[in-house]
Amino acid sequence: MSIQPDVISRLKEAAGPHGFTEDPQDIAPHLVEWRGRYQGRSPLLLKPRTTAEVARVLAICNEARTPIVPQGGNTGLVGGQIPFDGEVLLSLSRLNRIRKLDALGMSATAEAGVILAELQREADKADRYFPLSLASEGSCTIGGNVSTNAGGVNVLRYGNMRELVLGLEVVLADGRVVDLLRGLRKDNTGYDLKQLFIGAEGTLGIVTAAALRLFPKPGERVTAFVAVPDVKSAISLLHAMQEATGGLVSAFELMPRPGLQMVLAHISQTHDPLAAPSPWYVLAEATSGGDVQLQDIIERCLVAATGNGVVTDAVIATSETQRAALWRLRESLSEAQKYEGGSIKHDVSVPVAAVPAFIAEAGEAVVKLIPGARPVPFGHLGDGNIHYNVSQPKDGGSTAEFLARWHDVNAVVFDVVLRMGGSISAEHGIGQLKVADLPDVKDPVAIELMRSLKAMLDPLGILNPGKVLLPGKQ
Amino acid sequence: MSIQPDVISRLKEAAGPHGFTEDPQDIAPHLVEWRGRYQGRSPLLLKPRTTAEVARVLAICNEARTPIVPQGGNTGLVGGQIPFDGEVLLSLSRLNRIRKLDALGMSATAEAGVILAELQREADKADRYFPLSLASEGSCTIGGNVSTNAGGVNVLRYGNMRELVLGLEVVLADGRVVDLLRGLRKDNTGYDLKQLFIGAEGTLGIVTAAALRLFPKPGERVTAFVAVPDVKSAISLLHAMQEATGGLVSAFELMPRPGLQMVLAHISQTHDPLAAPSPWYVLAEATSGGDVQLQDIIERCLVAATGNGVVTDAVIATSETQRAALWRLRESLSEAQKYEGGSIKHDVSVPVAAVPAFIAEAGEAVVKLIPGARPVPFGHLGDGNIHYNVSQPKDGGSTAEFLARWHDVNAVVFDVVLRMGGSISAEHGIGQLKVADLPDVKDPVAIELMRSLKAMLDPLGILNPGKVLLPGKQ
């Protein structure tokens, strides 16, 4: 596609001073994602600073039927933020003000371009806690977090981004601004329209600001790295910890030994926290108020679990440095896999109780398909959300050859997921990567409703085309 | 309106054996709500037992353009469940199976007609906890809870019904069934369609079943009845308790002395738990796992708060009987007001920090409007949700005359609410009671989007007409 020069010049004017670039070098970093898996192209990058500017931009795009792709921190993993077909690119990065932080009211209003880590820091300064936490928190933005309904490590306790959103400000496809920002905990005045835009990946409207829940700052945080003999034991431990604490476990991450080995081999300044190897590990974290004596409770729980064979060894972090080192093992897993050749990734969820069977059956199916392939299932066990990554065989073939099997591997893994009533996209979304798969896994009436919503909110199809839903009949 | 006899007979057939009644005596209890504030009429009450029967009923209604009003436990307070204009009435009460209860997966799937208290009991038997709790829990149903996005006393810790819903099964206006029941904690496959139907009061589709989150059963529960000198002190106490426990406070209910006096005067077997009267009281509850020594923490917190004047007296329940007696004081407030003549009610929310100013300013405005009127503001202080009820003057005029001022009183109270960025319907919804007010308090673009959604999902306007949105331009 190509965009008329007069539209380009109107858009440049609408985006305000310093609000655009046509320089290919400036645009280039926005066209690839960090793993290099996607490559887009765009003649024009817009960087408005205000909601009013975004509204003007969209009104022009809609009138000229010019497609536009919104982008936050460009950390998405499914290509949702990439202009694959020469669309105008809309970066929200300069809408980056925290408009309000109400410590007493436990809420903050942040613009779309605010970086997640910055919001976390500002909440912390006000003696509050914003719990969304994911590996890319230093670059990803609130707008992207809302638009992808981001998950991460604390969903178990605090929910997805959707559960943290009290209100939104959204620019519609035709440039109308809808103010749903009222940051009340309880407001049953009509349909909850903000829900439409959360997790819609910028295909139904452009989120420009969000009112978000804050929480009491945890007074105590206990982080344990635990060796367990199998995945079933990990689940038993989760339930034991939840019962002992009454639901204070905030993160419960599963790691397999092969994954830990990759981290220890390739990531600097990492070491195995336990003396003997174990087939599986859990990184568990619980938080509470300062008066709860949480560490005692977790220690008693781990001792009891060791007594009945659910746990074989464990270490509790005794300093913030140790805690960071334990988390580094978990957060480096994806990166470490890069050094082992190609990795075919899945972001799936199944009911928690089904995770052991899922890992066993998916493993069998993958190795049958590609002998020697190395599954590294890890992730948010507490939510049933497994990042089922498969590294290429140690001694076999080229990375390109292995990655060419991406969809074949997907097919066998998704087959197990669906058989167990699971989801083929637990937290990363659909984007471009899974857009062709969606009709196969979703109720057909649900797909019809999605199409109706898209037609209602973006009748000319200018918003992030080709993402989430393909045009026309699928 | 009147319904064609052939449509009546087709609907009777569609609703299945024993699935209907035309007997006015059987229908009568479904046409009034418990306070007697609303009176409807309907020629036909349908009571299908299955989703397929509901689907057939709606297909016929849609084809014949016959309006239909869904009803759960008939406990709604805004007239949402009443057929005001002779519509067919659809009771979901016989869709009352708990289809699944997955203790390990922490979820349950219940049909629309399951009574809330029954789900609470079944969860309890499985050593799990379903936290939604409200005064009408012995009669209200899961379908109604979903359709009104029910709130209640535990929202502070566990969220509204919306946050407890993992999935829904919905029958659309034209009889299509959409299966969104997959009860996963994380599922980002496309737009989250279930959100459309939560809190839509049956105007966009009929909820027939819901997959719901369960929680670890609290091992310890601490319930305290606390005297505070003013509302600001109550908020200070809330923050102190949240910080001490790290967010374990599940209920934090405000009561004024005049309200407590009404309860003590009119409700049998109640007594003042504290020796001296106090202008304000808080009923606070916190829950945790069995190992947390929660009572010690709360006691220390109350002692400290007494030391700095935030608390003047307090009692902690030492048995389940005492706990029930404390809750009875709170839950009887609405009933007790009935014995004091007319009561004009508001279900509003404002930012928590604004509650003291709201209560002061609304009180002044109301008493200026009706000298001698007695405001009894009570409710969910932790969420900023105040049931701002106003009893008629003790010695002045008839109840009918007082109630005739309903909208005048609303106007002055809503004025204060809106000035403080609050909501005129925090948890009860819009129904018929507030349908004319909605356009005044909502962003005009939001009202347009609501109309578009209604047109998309119920193009012929058969679903609960006249509720939430009035037809045509408002």
Side-chain angles (χ1 to χ4, degrees), chain B residues 392-444:
Chain B
Q392 70 177 89
K394 219 165 188 155
D395 43 9
S398 76
T399 296
E401 262 173 54
F402 177 72
L403 291 179
R405 308 293 303 274
W406 192 288
H407 283 286
D408 301 338
V409 175
N410 282 180
V412 302
V413 172
F414 290 169
D415 184 55
V416 182
V417 168
L418 294 173
R419 198 152 26 83
M420 295 182 170
S423 166
I424 66 160
S425 183
E427 61 176 10
H428 296 165
I430 297 298
Q432 188 243 26
L433 179 66
K434 296 179 185 170
V435 70
D437 298 316
L438 189 63
D440 299 333
V441 302
K442 198 116 180 157
D443 180 276

Side-chain angles (χ1 to χ4, degrees), chain B residues 252-437:
Chain B
F252 200 85
E253 300 287 307
L254 181 73
M255 288 175 72
R257 177 72 192 172
L260 181 64
Q261 278 171 320
M262 290 178 190
V263 171
L264 299 174
H266 303 297
I267 307 294
S268 65
Q269 294 174 300
T270 55
H271 71 279
D272 191 337
L274 301 175
S278 163
W280 294 95
Y281 302 93
V282 164
L283 180 61
E285 195 161 87
T287 57
S288 74
D291 289 359
V292 173
Q293 312 293 329
L294 191 59
Q295 181 150 345
D296 295 352
I297 298 173
I298 299 292
E299 275 173 10
R300 279 200 301 274
C301 186
L302 288 170
V303 167
T306 307
N308 58 35
V310 161
V311 164
T312 53
D313 198 3
V315 58
I316 290 180
T318 57
S319 68
E320 190 51 41
T321 313
Q322 274 189 24
R323 174 178 176 261
L326 295 179
W327 271 106
R328 196 165 140 78
L329 298 174
R330 162 63 186 85
E331 296 290 13
S332 305
L333 254 173
S334 259
E335 199 194 331
Q337 275 194 291
K338 287 205 275 189
Y339 298 91
E340 298 273 336
S343 168
I344 295 175
K345 294 169 195 294
H346 308 79
D347 162 44
V348 302
S349 66
V350 294
V352 175
V355 173
F358 163 70
I359 287 178
E361 292 180 33
E364 269 178 47
V366 164
V367 172
K368 191 172 155 201
L369 184 72
I370 305 181
R374 293 172 293 161
V376 184
F378 68 96
H380 319 303
L381 180 60
D383 312 309
N385 175 194
I386 301 300
H387 296 304
Y388 193 85
N389 290 2
V390 182
S391 279
Q392 70 177 89
K394 219 165 188 155
D395 43 9
S398 76
T399 296
E401 262 173 54
F402 177 72
L403 291 179
R405 308 293 303 274
W406 192 288
H407 283 286
D408 301 338
V409 175
N410 282 180
V412 302
V413 172
F414 290 169
D415 184 55
V416 182
V417 168
L418 294 173
R419 198 152 26 83
M420 295 182 170
S423 166
I424 66 160
S425 183
E427 61 176 10
H428 296 165
I430 297 298
Q432 188 243 26
L433 179 66
K434 296 179 185 170
V435 70
D437 298 316

Side-chain angles (χ1 to χ4, degrees), chain A residues 403-415:
Chain A
L403 291 179
R405 307 293 304 274
W406 193 290
H407 284 287
D408 302 338
V409 175
N410 282 181
V412 302
V413 172
F414 290 169
D415 184 56

Side-chain angles (χ1 to χ4, degrees), chain A residues 267-313:
Chain A
I267 307 294
S268 65
Q269 293 173 300
T270 56
H271 72 279
D272 190 337
L274 301 176
S278 162
W280 293 96
Y281 302 93
V282 163
L283 179 61
E285 195 162 88
T287 57
S288 74
D291 290 358
V292 171
Q293 311 292 327
L294 191 59
Q295 180 150 345
D296 294 352
I297 298 172
I298 299 293
E299 276 173 9
R300 280 200 301 275
C301 186
L302 287 171
V303 167
T306 307
N308 57 35
V310 161
V311 164
T312 52
D313 197 4

